[in-house]
Amino acid sequence: MSTRTVAVPPERLARWCDNFTTRHGPTTLDVVDGRLLLTADDGESASAVLPFGRRYDGAPDPAVVADAAAAPLTWGVLLVRKGGFAVALLDTTDHVVASKVGQRHVQGRTKAGGQSQQRFARRRDNQARQAYEAAADHAARILGEGPHHARHTDQHGGNVASRALVVGGDRQAVDAVLDDRRLATWRDVIVDPWLPVPDPRRSVLDDAIATARSVQITLG
């Protein structure tokens, strides 16, 4: 059976579960392996995973699950590809405190051979390095050091992380930017999901933020 995953904002989760029951009939809700599992009488199922890399161990109630999906005190999104970068800092209400989107030209690959190919490769590597350094400068400025408290108590008394970073784009490019020592405090709080995005633009960043804060539901 094929599966697909949809991103559902926490505030829409209860309605989504109601609609699932309407489409598939009586549905049993359980909490299994840190996620909410819906199993309908017609054989259809759905598995809901909290954002920010969290496990869920509460009651099998969509409203409670939605509450548990609340954002950390401070969180960020960092997207990097050779064609550009995007970074945003958000608060616990998902308000964008600061953001930056930028593009830097990095030449594509060439079919030339010999010394020409080597010169081209060096030029391309230098352009990529400069692009990543620029992205790191902006990321360090936007994200800053983040909050000093690593964890806090949520509204249900749970001990949860105070900050998180969701990343995406090209893995090598993201790693190159996060190698900057100014971003060291954020490397330890990277959480799922990885975001496979195209060259970052403002609309791409907006979509990435929406995905990062959503409950990921796998159907099938």
Side-chain angles (χ1 to χ4, degrees):
M1 179 184 295
S2 62
T3 63
R4 65 186 180 94
T5 300
V6 296
V8 178
E11 63 272 16
R12 298 180 185 174
L13 180 62
R15 176 173 291 184
W16 189 95
C17 291
D18 287 342
N19 290 339
F20 181 89
T21 299
T22 299
R23 291 191 301 270
H24 301 290
T27 299
T28 300
L29 279 69
D30 296 294
V31 175
V32 179
D33 194 25
R35 61 190 65 197
L36 179 68
L37 180 64
L38 294 80
T39 307
D41 282 358
D42 69 354
E44 290 295 325
S45 64
S47 177
V49 178
L50 291 177
F52 307 111
R54 294 178 185 156
R55 290 176 57 87
Y56 181 73
D57 297 313
D61 181 338
V64 180
V65 175
D67 287 342
L73 295 179
T74 302
W75 63 286
V77 173
L78 175 65
L79 311 173
V80 191
R81 296 186 66 87
K82 282 189 172 65
F85 72 92
V87 58
L89 180 69
L90 302 95
D91 63 20
T92 192
T93 68
D94 299 321
H95 169 70
V96 177
V97 177
S99 66
K100 176 67 177 179
V101 177
Q103 289 82 43
R104 292 289 292 256
H105 175 67
V106 177
Q107 291 177 303
R109 298 185 182 277
T110 180
K111 295 182 180 180
Q115 292 183 342
S116 294
Q117 184 180 33
Q118 293 174 4
R119 286 195 300 270
F120 186 90
R122 286 195 297 269
R123 186 183 309 119
R124 187 171 185 269
D125 288 344
N126 287 335
Q127 289 174 341
R129 178 178 53 79
Q130 292 169 1
Y132 300 154
E133 288 175 352
D137 286 342
H138 287 292
R141 176 177 59 83
I142 295 295
L143 296 176
E145 295 183 357
H148 296 290
H149 300 291
R151 306 188 71 82
H152 73 285
T153 301
D154 66 11
Q155 59 184 318
H156 301 292
N159 186 23
V160 298
S162 292
R163 59 179 174 172
L165 181 65
V166 182
V167 298
D170 177 81
R171 293 184 185 274
Q172 183 178 1
V174 170
D175 288 344
V177 171
L178 288 175
D179 274 344
D180 191 293
R181 61 181 179 79
R182 294 169 295 177
L183 298 172
T185 58
W186 288 96
R187 287 198 296 267
D188 295 333
V189 294
I190 295 174
V191 296
D192 291 333
W194 172 270
L195 303 173
V197 298
D199 284 350
R201 300 291 188 268
R202 177 60 59 178
S203 60
V204 173
L205 176 59
D206 291 342
D207 290 345
I209 291 171
T211 299
R213 65 176 294 271
S214 292
V215 177
Q216 301 295 313
I217 300 180
T218 301
L219 297 159

